[in-house]
């Protein structure tokens, strides 16, 4: 049976967003917390960066992390075969 999508209201960097997905509230809370922490770190390290560029850098970092984790998963799968 297909999971139902839910609406989540989250606050990122002081701005409210509605996110639609199949995640649990606990998962979305964790996503919001980590996003806010990472964005705060980027802004602290580069205070002259615009909001848009800080958000873009956060997105690039997230995609990079995702690719690294996928490579690790692929290697583990290869080892099992």
């Amino acid at each position: 049976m297909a999971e139902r999508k839910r609406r989540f209201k989250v606050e990122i960097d002081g701005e409210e967003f509605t996110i639609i997905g199949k995640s649990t509230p606990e998962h979305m809370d964790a996503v919001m917390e980590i996003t806010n922490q990472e964005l705060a770190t980027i802004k602290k390290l580069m205070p002259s960066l615009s909001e848009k560029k800080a958000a873009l850098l956060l997105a690039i970092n997230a995609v990079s992390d995702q690719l690294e984790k996928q490579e690790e998963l692929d290697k583990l799968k290869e080892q099992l075969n």
Side-chain angles (χ1 to χ4, degrees):
M1 181 181 282
E3 291 183 54
R4 288 184 34 167
K5 291 185 179 180
R6 303 175 185 180
R7 290 181 180 269
F8 301 95
K9 290 200 185 271
V10 298
E11 187 173 314
I12 306 292
D13 197 34
E15 192 170 337
E16 190 174 283
F17 296 89
T18 300
I19 299 174
I20 300 171
K22 297 177 183 177
S23 302
T24 64
E26 296 80 14
H27 175 83
M28 290 310 302
D29 286 344
V31 168
M32 180 178 61
E33 184 176 333
I34 291 168
T35 300
N36 279 316
Q37 289 172 354
E38 293 294 318
L39 195 52
T41 299
I42 289 169
K43 288 174 149 187
K44 184 177 180 181
L45 293 172
M46 295 179 256
S48 63
L49 212 56
S50 71
E51 295 286 326
K52 181 179 178 179
K53 288 184 179 180
L56 185 56
L57 187 54
L58 175 64
I60 290 167
N61 287 341
V63 171
S64 177
D65 289 347
Q66 180 183 1
L67 289 174
E68 287 174 5
K69 295 299 179 195
Q70 186 61 51
E71 288 172 5
E72 289 175 19
L73 183 60
D74 291 344
K75 286 179 184 176
L76 287 172
K77 285 180 179 178
E78 282 180 21
Q79 291 174 357
L80 292 175
N81 291 332

